Amino acid sequence: MNRLILAVCTVLLAPVALGETVAVVGGDVLTVGPAGRIAGATVVITDGLITAVGADVKVPADARVIDAKGKLVTPGLFTPFGTLGLVEVGSSAGPVDSVQRGNQFAASFTVADAFNPRSTLIAINRIEGVTRALIAPGGSSADALGNRSHVISGLAAVANLSGTAASIDKRDAALVVNLGEKGVAFAGSSRASALLELRHALVEAIDYQAHGDAYELGAHADYVYSTTDLAVLGRVINGEIPLLAKVDRASDIERLLDLADEFKIRTIVHGGVESWMVAKRLAAARVPVILAPENNLPANFDRINARSDLAAELYAAGVKIAFADGSGSTHNARNITQSAGNATVGGLPWDAALRAITLNPAEIYGVADRLGSIEVGKQGDIVVWPGDPFELTVYPDAVLIRGQVQAMNSRQTLLRDRYLEADTSKPPAWRH
Amino acid sequence: MLAGCGSDEGQEDSAERAFASQYTSLASDSVLLRGATVLTGTGERLDAADVLLADGKIVAVGADLEADDAEVVDAADKWITPGVIDVHSHLGVYPSPSTASHSDGNEMSAPVTAEVWAEHSVWPQDPGFAAALAGGVTSLQVLPGSANLIGGRGVTLKNVPGRSVMDMKFPGAPHGFKMACGENPKRVYGSRGTAPSTRMGNVAGYRAAWIKAADYRDKMQAAADGAGEAPVRDLQLETLVGVLDGEILVHNHCYRADEMAVMLEIAKEFGYKIAAFHHAVEAYKIPDLLAANETCAAMWADWWGFKMEAFDGIRENAALVDRAGACAIIHSDSEIGIQRLNQEAAKVIGAAARAGIEIPPERAVQWLTQNAAKALGISDSVGTLEAGKMADVVVWSGNPFSVYTRAERVYIDGALVYRRGDAATNPVTDFSLGTAAANGGAL
C-alpha cells in the first residue's frame, strides 16, 4: 500500500528537469503576440524558454513531442488577483495567510513569504490551464482584540503554479490598497479617511526619501510608518511599484486618479464596477482595470451602476482589462475562461478576451518581457486545448510551465477516480 | 386575453388562509415557436420541432404544428427548454444591495426557528429577480439561511415582479423547510457558548425538536378525537408537524456524505422524508443511498474548499449522482450563479466527459428543470414541456450549454416576460430606476 501512495505522490509532484527540449507540434497556435494566430504550428521550448514558433519549424531530434494537431495552443492563463498558495480553507479551518491586522507594518507586508507551492489549490487550478497568478494580500474585519487591517494591505507577488520551490516570479508586483467601501471598513469611518491614510503614507515616504539620513541619526521627528514601510512606499513614489486599488464607485476612481496625478504614481483599478463611467479618463491615464464580468448587480452603493458589458465598454474606450473572479474565491481561479467567454457575449472581441487572461496581466505587473504570450525568448507556459478554451465543456489536454510538462492530476481527480471506480467490492478507502 | 387567476391548485391554497398566493399570470397570446431543437425536460431531444403555447399552457410539442391564431416565432437555430428552476435561492431575503438593513435571511436568535417563513422577508424589489429572469429562471425556491439547525419555511415563487410576495407565490406549491447540517449552526451558536457547538450537538438539537413535534401532533390529534383539550397553537410545532405529515418538504443543507447518512437516519427515526440535500458537495460518495431514499442532491458545479466541509468538492459530482440513478439538481445559492445555471451544468458535462461519462444535453437539462420541480413538489405543473403544463419556456440563442448562449425569450404562463435586448419587454425594479440596469446595462 505504501508503494502505491508513493507512486501517486511522485506523479503529483512532477519533477523539474531542466535541460529538456519540448516541442508542441501541429496545433493552431494563438500566440497573443505580434504573430497572431499560426495554423499548424510548432512551438519549441528549450531549458524552459521558447526557442521557436512557426508553421515551418523543425522538431529537434531530442525533443519530447506533444501532439497538438487539430487542437488550439494558447499561452498559460494568468489570473490577475487572488490568494493562491496563501489560503487553503477560508472559513474556520485555515491556513489563511493573506491578511495582516494591526498597523505596525502595512506596505511592507509581503505575501510571497507565506506562499505554499504545495497547496491543493495549485494543482487543481494548474490542470485547467492556470500557470501564473497574482497573489495578493487583503484586508479583513477586526479580530476579537479589535486589531483591524490597514487601508494599505501590502505587497502582491507574481507566482507560477509549478508547485516547485521556485514559484515566486516577482515579490513586489504591486502595492494593494483599499478605497471606497472597503476603505471605509479599514479606515474606520469615511472613504475620505481611507484616502487620507494613503495620502499621509505617501507624504511620509517623500519626506523619508529627503530626510532618511537625518532620521537615522535621530535628527528628525518620528514617522507614523515604519522605515520598512516607508522604503516600499518610496518605490511607489519612484514609479517602480504600482498601486493596486480596490475601488468600484466612479467618483472614488476619479479621486484615485487625482492622487496618481498629484504624486506621479502608477495605479491599477481592481473591481471597477462603475469604471465604465470614467473610461475615457482611465484610458488617457493608461490605468488598467481588473474586473469580474459576472458582477452585474448593485451589490452595494458603490456598485449601483453595474453592467454586464463592462469589459466591452472599457475595451472600446482603450482601457487595458484583465479578469478576476468577483467573489475573490481563488479556489476556482480556473473559471477565468468562463469570465472571458461571458465578456465576449457582452461585446468584447474574442482575441481581446484571450489577451485579457494571458498577456494583459503580464503587462500590468511588469513581467511581459518573460510571460503572457508565445514568443521566442519568453518562458514556456503553454496550454493545449481540444476545443475553444472559453467553452465550459472544454478542459486542457496538456499544460506546460516553464517548459515542464505538468501531470494532469490533482487531489480532485484522485477523489473522482476513487468514486468513479465501477468495482465496488473494495471499500473506498482501499481504492487507490 | 387575460389568463385566469392562478391555477386549479391555487384554489386549494385557500384565499381564507393568510399569505396565500395572489399570483395572476400576465396577459398572453397564443405563440407557436417553430423549428427549434427542443429539450423537453423529460429526457427527450426533438430536432426541428415546434412548441405551441396558448391560454398560459403548453398545448403541444412536436413536428409541423399548426395554429391559426398564434403568433409564429421563427426559432430555427434556437434551442428551447422548460423554464429553469432554482431550488436554492436567497433572492429577496438577502437582496442587492446587500446592506445590513437588508439582511433578512437568517433568524439567528435560536437554533430552531421553524416558526419563521422566508416569504415574510422577501423584498420583491430585489434587482436580482430580473437578472435571474434574463438567465431563464422562471421559478425559484427562496429559503432561510443555514445558521440554524432548523431555519424555517421556504417559499416557491414564480419569477414575476409583484408588489408583495403573495403576488409572486407559485400557486399550490408546498412550503419548503430548511434544515442545516455541519459547520454553520455549530459555529453560530458555539461561538456564543450555547448549544450546539459540535456536530453531535446538532443532531441532539434536531431530535429534540422532532420529539416535541410528535408530542404536539399527538395532542392535537387527541383533541380532534375528543380526548382532551387542544394545546395553544404553536407556529414552530405547527411547521414541524407539517413536515411529519408530508405537507412541507425538507430541504437540508448538508455537505458531507457521512452527515447526509446521519440525517437520513433521523428522518427514518421520526418518519419524515428529505426531499433534497442542498450543497451536497459529497453526494458522489453516496449516490446509492440517495437513490434508495428517493432524496435529491442539489449541487453546485464546482464550488469547493471555501470551508472544511466543502473540501472534497469535485466537478463530476452531479454526473456521478445522475449515473447512479439518483435525482441530481444544479442549484445556485447565489444572485450571480442563478443567472447562469446552464453554464454550471455545462461544466459538469465537460468534466464528466473527461472522466468517460457522456451526458447528452437532453439529460443535463433535467438537472435544471424536471428534477428541480420534483424536489419542490411542483412537477405536475412545471419542469417539462408537456401538454397541459404551465407555459414556462425559454428560447435560447443556441445550445444552452455553450458559454456563448443566452436566453433570448422567456415565457411564464405563456406571457413573454423577457426578451434579450428589448428594454420595453423586460421588468425593472423600483430600486433599479435611474441606474445602468434600468437601461438594460445589467442584462
Side-chain angles (χ1 to χ4, degrees), chain A residues 32 74-80 128-133 291 293 321-325 333-341 343 348 350-362 364 372-373 383 385 388-390:
Chain A
V32 196
T74 70
L77 309 180
F78 192 141
T79 61
E128 298 197 9
V130 181
T131 64
R132 308 277 166 163
L291 65 117
I321 54 171
F323 301 139
D325 182 67
R334 54 192 179 175
N335 286 343
I336 193 171
T337 50
Q338 183 182 16
S339 294
L348 186 70
W350 197 95
D351 290 347
L354 181 61
R355 198 181 206 281
I357 60 176
T358 54
L359 185 56
N360 284 2
I364 290 169
S373 59
V383 187
W385 306 84
D388 182 340
F390 299 168

Side-chain angles (χ1 to χ4, degrees), chain A residues 193-214:
Chain A
S193 316
L195 205 63
L196 191 58
E197 280 197 26
L198 178 56
R199 170 185 296 279
H200 177 79
L202 293 170
V203 167
E204 276 205 348
I206 292 170
D207 188 87
Y208 180 68
Q209 284 181 330
H211 305 294
D213 291 344

Side-chain angles (χ1 to χ4, degrees), chain A residues 18 29 214-215 242 356:
Chain A
L18 284 177
V29 178
Y215 175 78

Side-chain angles (χ1 to χ4, degrees), chain A residues 415-416 419, chain B residues 280-287 312-314 317 320-321:
Chain A
L415 275 166
R416 174 197 69 195
Y419 289 92
Chain B
V281 161
E282 293 189 4
Y284 67 94
K285 300 183 182 181
I286 52 161
D312 283 5
I314 63 170
N317 192 13
L320 295 183
V321 169

Side-chain angles (χ1 to χ4, degrees), chain A residues 5 35 67 108 157 159 163 219 241 289 325 331 397 432:
Chain A
I5 290 168
D67 183 6
S108 53
I241 301 175
V289 176
D325 182 67
H331 289 77
D397 284 337
H432 48 242

Side-chain angles (χ1 to χ4, degrees), chain B residues 239-255:
Chain B
T239 293
L240 293 169
V241 170
V243 172
L244 294 177
D245 289 347
E247 292 163 4
I248 298 175
L249 307 182
V250 175
H251 293 273
N252 195 156
H253 157 125
C254 209
Y255 287 69

Side-chain angles (χ1 to χ4, degrees), chain B residues 179-194:
Chain B
M179 297 181 72
C181 294
E183 291 185 24
N184 289 5
K186 84 185 189 95
R187 184 184 67 247
V188 168
Y189 293 97
S191 67
R192 300 175 189 175
T194 62

